[in-house]
């Protein structure tokens, strides 16, 4: 049973560019959440997708957007990259009606903005 | 708003020592509580959880008890190993429409042989 997968593993972009990160949820999961983890900090919630719609959003600007596909996989897009967007981006999947809404995390994508 | 506060690290211990990592929370409702572990260069792994007051979560020798009266969820292990070296995150989560994790800042544990 494959767990949560993310791609790419690492990414280097220049300020002002746009980036797309991808996530495939654990088998049987239908909900995907994205988190940003800055160096030395705990993950911060960006947004969550369920049934191909953004269900809730954290305190992140509109430059951060996402999408969920019919197969439950998801993308995170960040436009007009800033140096401060450099972080580990984590995807977590869960089942809407699962036990205690346990979230399973992928290995993350390390984004470096220069 | 809801928040989680963890003791600052790093915590440095010798192998077989007793571990405590303190975690307290502020919540408007009755969240579930979690401990996640992050090994170097990896994502987060769920270590243990507790869903209501007085529940004890346990896994791999680690334990934590959901204390509503002190709003705490301290992580303990009786005898740590070098392989336990990692960053530990305490987190809370409400189910339903507010299904998002709120994390503490993490505590780095370094276990020396």
């Amino acid at each position: 049973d494959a767990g949560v997968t993310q791609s790419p593993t690492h990414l280097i972009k220049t300020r002002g560019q746009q980036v797309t990160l991808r996530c495939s949820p654990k088998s049987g999961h239908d909900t995907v959440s994205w988190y940003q983890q800055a160096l030395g900090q705990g993950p911060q919630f960006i947004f969550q997708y369920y049934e191909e719609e953004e269900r809730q959003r954290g305190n992140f600007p509109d430059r951060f957007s996402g999408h969920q596909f019919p197969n439950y996989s998801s993308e995170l897009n960040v436009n007009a990259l800033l140096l401060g967007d450099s972080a580990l981006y984590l995807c977590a999947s869960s089942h809407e009606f699962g036990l205690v809404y346990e979230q399973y995390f992928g290995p993350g994508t390390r984004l470096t903005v220069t | 708003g809801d928040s989680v506060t963890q003791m600052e690290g790093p915590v440095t211990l010798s192998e077989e020592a007793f571990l405590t990592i303190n975690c307290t929370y502020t919540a408007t409702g009755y969240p579930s509580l979690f401990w996640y572990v992050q090994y170097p260069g990896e994502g987060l792994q769920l270590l243990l959880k507790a869903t209501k007051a007085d529940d004890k979560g346990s896994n791999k020798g680690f334990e934590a008890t959901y204390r509503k009266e002190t709003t705490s969820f301290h992580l303990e292990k009786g005898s740590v190993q070098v392989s336990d070296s990692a960053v530990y995150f305490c987190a809370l989560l409400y189910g339903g429409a507010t299904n998002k994790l709120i994390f503490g800042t993490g505590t780095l544990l370094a276990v020396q042989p």
Side-chain angles (χ1 to χ4, degrees):
Chain A
D1 179 21
V4 180
T5 60
Q6 293 186 241
S7 63
T9 305
H10 295 88
L11 204 51
I12 299 175
K13 290 288 188 178
T14 304
R15 269 184 306 175
Q17 286 188 316
Q18 178 265 343
V19 68
T20 297
L21 311 180
R22 296 177 176 81
C23 170
S24 291
K26 181 179 169 65
S27 178
H29 285 183
D30 54 12
T31 302
V32 173
S33 303
W34 287 93
Y35 294 82
Q36 180 195 65
Q37 185 180 13
L39 197 61
Q41 300 296 315
Q44 298 291 316
F45 176 78
I46 302 174
F47 43 52
Q48 183 179 90
Y49 277 84
Y50 172 66
E51 292 190 337
E52 302 180 48
E53 291 191 358
E54 183 181 296
R55 179 156 67 175
Q56 59 177 320
R57 189 180 184 90
N59 188 25
F60 280 80
D62 292 344
R63 298 187 297 109
F64 289 77
S65 63
H67 189 78
Q68 186 179 34
F69 299 93
N71 66 353
Y72 306 120
S73 66
S74 177
E75 288 182 349
L76 164 65
N77 301 293
V78 186
N79 295 321
L81 285 166
L82 304 174
L83 295 179
D85 295 332
S86 295
L88 180 67
Y89 288 85
L90 296 165
C91 168
S93 74
S94 57
H95 193 286
E96 175 68 5
F97 299 106
L99 294 176
V100 199
Y101 305 99
E102 286 186 16
Q103 297 193 13
Y104 292 82
F105 284 81
T109 294
R110 173 74 63 187
L111 172 65
T112 302
V113 182
T114 62
Chain B
D2 299 330
S3 64
V4 175
T5 302
Q6 290 182 235
M7 66 185 288
E8 294 201 9
V11 174
T12 303
L13 296 173
S14 298
E15 208 165 20
E16 300 183 2
F18 184 87
L19 168 71
T20 299
I21 299 178
N22 290 336
C23 170
T24 57
Y25 66 90
T26 301
T28 54
Y30 303 98
S32 296
L33 300 175
F34 300 82
W35 277 99
Y36 281 85
V37 58
Q38 187 174 38
Y39 297 101
E42 298 185 9
L44 275 70
Q45 297 178 25
L46 177 63
L47 181 60
L48 54 83
K49 67 180 187 291
T51 60
K52 62 183 185 298
D54 299 325
D55 268 4
K56 177 185 282 187
S58 61
N59 186 29
K60 300 181 181 178
F62 291 90
E63 294 184 339
T65 301
Y66 190 161
R67 302 286 188 197
K68 183 181 172 186
E69 63 276 11
T70 55
T71 62
S72 65
F73 192 54
H74 304 322
L75 182 67
E76 296 181 336
K77 187 175 185 183
S79 176
V80 294
Q81 305 300 313
V82 171
S83 58
D84 294 327
S85 298
V87 179
Y88 291 81
F89 291 94
C90 184
L92 65 82
L93 177 145
Y94 294 101
T98 56
N99 181 16
K100 68 178 183 183
L101 283 160
I102 297 173
F103 287 91
T105 54
T107 302
L108 173 62
L109 170 64
V111 180
Q112 299 176 340

